[in-house]
Amino acid sequence: MKKFLLILGTLLGAMTLVFLLAGCKDQGGTESTNIDTSSVQNNQASTGTQDDFSATDDAKITTDKQNRTVIMLGRSVMGGWFEHWGADDGVYIKDRFTLEYRELESPPDIVKSVEKIMKKLPAEKKDIVFFKFCFVDFAGEGSANTNLEQNKKYIEDVYKVVVEEHRAKLIIGNALPQVMNDNDIYLVWNHQQYNAWLKEFWQQHPDDVTIFNMYKQLASDMGALKSEYAADEYDSHLNTKGYEALDKPFWEMMENLY
């Protein structure tokens, strides 16, 4: 019976992927129809099985087991993470780590808000900065490629502000998947391309950058947010189980690298 259910699940997943691909192709005349999505299904497995965080011999960050301050930059999903921790005031202390939430503006003002936050921080808090996009900052059918290139530019600019100007370490959370009702093959392509580029970006800056693989923890084989982690079937915000899926690898990363 288990073998039958496994085969059935695989067939249903493949049928759903075909449906998504066919549905998007029917909507011609957009930028995204020029994107080669043929590798999306094959890449899904490799994207989902990356390390939870970048911790190889090339990552020269070494932990000194001292107290650390982490400025957590994000919007609604980040705010929800602090609520999940019971830190309604935006400050959460766990062992030697003090995490402080700072809300970002939406693109195109996202980098400007990082600049403002970093300038206002006292020197002792310019230690570690965690940056992530919200799930709505990724586009699918119609503008996936343009959105991807823009998000890459934002990351490069955030690096300049956080690392080059303020000498802090930078953790970047990778793409947040969306619920199946808001998903399409081009959005999955965008997520995968962004995640792969982030890995290359980290390899270029191993002393200063860490990538936290949120995507691995949250995405299904279809590249959508796992239904058990979603606020509801039409809402890509995380529920308690979703945040719990991030907690263990996040704290392991912090303890191992910082």
Side-chain angles (χ1 to χ4, degrees), residues 35-36 40 144-145 148 185-193:
I35 295 173
D36 181 9
V40 167
N145 190 63
L148 172 64
I185 198 70
Y186 300 104
L187 180 61
V188 176
W189 174 89
N190 191 352
H191 288 160
Q192 292 188 354
Q193 295 297 312

Side-chain angles (χ1 to χ4, degrees), residues 133 137-138 146-155 194:
F133 288 117
D137 297 336
F138 292 89
T146 299
N147 173 256
L148 172 64
E149 295 307 313
Q150 184 62 77
N151 283 344
K152 290 179 184 179
K153 181 63 167 57
Y154 287 143
I155 292 296
Y194 175 73

